[in-house]
Amino acid sequence: MKRVISCLTLITMLLSVTPMALAKESTTVELADKAKSAVLIERDTGTILYDKNSNEKLPPASMTKIMTMLLIMEALDKGQIKWDEKVRTSEYAASMGGSQIFLEPGEEMTVEQMLKGIAIGSGNDASVAMAEKIAGSADEFVNMMNKKVEELDLKNTHFKNPTGLPEQDHYSSAHDMALMAKELLKYEEITNFTGKYEDYLREGTDKKFWLVNTNRLVKFYPGVDGVKTGFTNEAKYCLTATAKKDNMRVIAVVFGADTPKDRNAQVTKMLDYAFSQYQTHPLFEKDHVLSQLKVSKGSEKEVNLMTSEPISVLTKKGEKVDDVTQEILMKNDIKAPVKKGDELGTLQLKKDGKLIAESKLVAEKDIDEASWWTMFKRVMGNFTKAG
């Protein structure tokens, strides 16, 4: 197999790559002494900057809705639902207790309004309404959640509902929550919702409803624009937060703090630590086309491979990015049809031969199967060229 090494090294081979274990930076700094477990990662590379019992299985409470929002964003991206599409509230969805936006049976809101209710107001009723819209039932949506858990290779997560209301065998971990948030933040529009401190639903009616973000750091810590809080008596106070400063986005997760003040203080310490000690060097934005791949029997002969998320290199503050090579591993023998977003390759970043980051490359658009007439013309064209 021929390998061409340059600024970008291209390798064409059968892809069989499992998700890379997150790289881990060592630190002796204690950042979350008042939490059961915690983790701090840099979003683009996934590098762990701080860890405290991050694989411990614990109740995630409403942080569960990170996965719910991820599946909503995926459905929007695939065109299965639209922002302005109406969602009807079932009797079951309206019956949800806990935090809610007080949907009534039969009430309709758009997907965008429901997402506001979930992201800002942590609405259990809105979460179930969207679950039923996407999957047909809440139970089937939970199956989708757990299928996504397997796809992301999350070892310490299992869901029983889309809300986070207490239920036996419903658990996650700080590590897994950070990876879920990492995946959700690929959809940059989500921070238009999770990053709002307040908004309104049912405007122009006598039932106007004021939403206030349960994540107070959105207002009080510069750069915080997500993601989700959680609280039950069992879980105590939890938070998966994200903040962006300059070119660097980080994710901090806390499980089991005794008070909201403790929860916010631990996350604040982790964010302060990340931004004071590290810096991110961006290489490619999301949806940047890096290569092309031949498609057998397709309506088009090739499909563009593009990044599925921002690609960066992480260093300590003041360090330069030297000797980082890039390799693209592409699947072999791709046959039509190909769907937009299909994983067809992997971008690997290496330094001194060591893998420092890895990210999926996906199809830029759909490639349908070629018609018999198209195939006939190609065969005849090749025949003419050969002659």
Side-chain angles (χ1 to χ4, degrees), residues 39 138 307:
V39 75
T307 55

Side-chain angles (χ1 to χ4, degrees), residues 93-112:
S95 73
M96 290 296 108
S99 54
Q100 54 188 298
I101 58 172
F102 300 99
L103 291 168
E104 296 181 0
E107 183 177 1
E108 290 187 337
M109 285 190 180
T110 65
V111 169
E112 183 175 3

Side-chain angles (χ1 to χ4, degrees), residues 167-180:
E167 195 165 345
Q168 189 174 358
D169 206 31
H170 184 101
Y171 57 83
S172 190
S173 68
H175 174 273
D176 288 1
M177 274 293 155
L179 290 187
M180 277 180 256

Side-chain angles (χ1 to χ4, degrees), residues 27-191:
T27 178
T28 57
V29 179
E30 180 53 70
L31 302 175
D33 57 318
K34 294 184 179 179
K36 283 186 179 179
S37 72
V39 75
L40 172 67
I41 72 169
E42 192 272 331
R43 201 230 73 93
D44 289 4
T45 63
T47 305
I48 296 173
L49 308 179
Y50 171 80
D51 182 292
K52 178 184 178 180
N53 305 325
S54 71
N55 290 314
E56 185 176 352
K57 295 177 181 177
L58 293 167
S62 278
M63 292 193 301
T64 297
K65 297 182 179 86
I66 293 173
M67 178 60 84
T68 300
M69 290 189 287
L70 172 56
L71 294 183
I72 292 171
M73 296 305 294
E74 283 190 349
L76 283 162
D77 188 57
K78 293 175 182 176
Q80 295 169 353
I81 55 175
K82 299 185 185 303
W83 287 107
D84 58 355
E85 191 171 339
K86 290 292 182 67
V87 180
R88 188 178 183 278
T89 305
S90 68
E91 292 271 358
Y92 178 64
S95 73
M96 290 296 108
S99 54
Q100 54 188 298
I101 58 172
F102 300 99
L103 291 168
E104 296 181 0
E107 183 177 1
E108 290 187 337
M109 285 190 180
T110 65
V111 169
E112 183 175 3
Q113 290 166 335
M114 287 286 188
L115 190 53
K116 278 185 189 179
I118 298 167
I120 304 173
S122 196
N124 294 326
D125 45 3
S127 297
V128 173
M130 283 304 305
E132 293 173 338
K133 174 69 175 178
I134 291 170
S137 72
D139 286 344
E140 185 54 37
F141 188 81
V142 171
N143 289 336
M144 289 176 62
M145 295 171 76
N146 287 316
K147 185 177 179 182
K148 193 68 179 179
V149 165
E150 292 181 13
E151 182 185 320
L152 296 175
D153 198 32
L154 307 180
K155 302 297 189 185
N156 299 299
T157 296
H158 185 260
F159 293 120
K160 296 299 290 288
N161 60 62
T163 62
L165 287 168
E167 195 165 345
Q168 189 174 358
D169 206 31
H170 184 101
Y171 57 83
S172 190
S173 68
H175 174 273
D176 288 1
M177 274 293 155
L179 290 187
M180 277 180 256
K182 183 180 190 298
E183 195 73 14
L184 176 61
L185 288 163
K186 289 181 180 179
Y187 302 97
E188 295 175 359
E189 313 97 300
I190 194 63
T191 58

Side-chain angles (χ1 to χ4, degrees), residues 8 48 74-75 77 202 241 297 301 305 320 323 328 375:
L8 187 63
I48 296 173
E74 283 190 349
D77 188 57
R202 304 184 186 92
K297 299 181 180 179
K301 294 182 179 180
L305 289 189
K320 295 180 179 180
D323 303 325
I328 293 178
M375 292 301 297

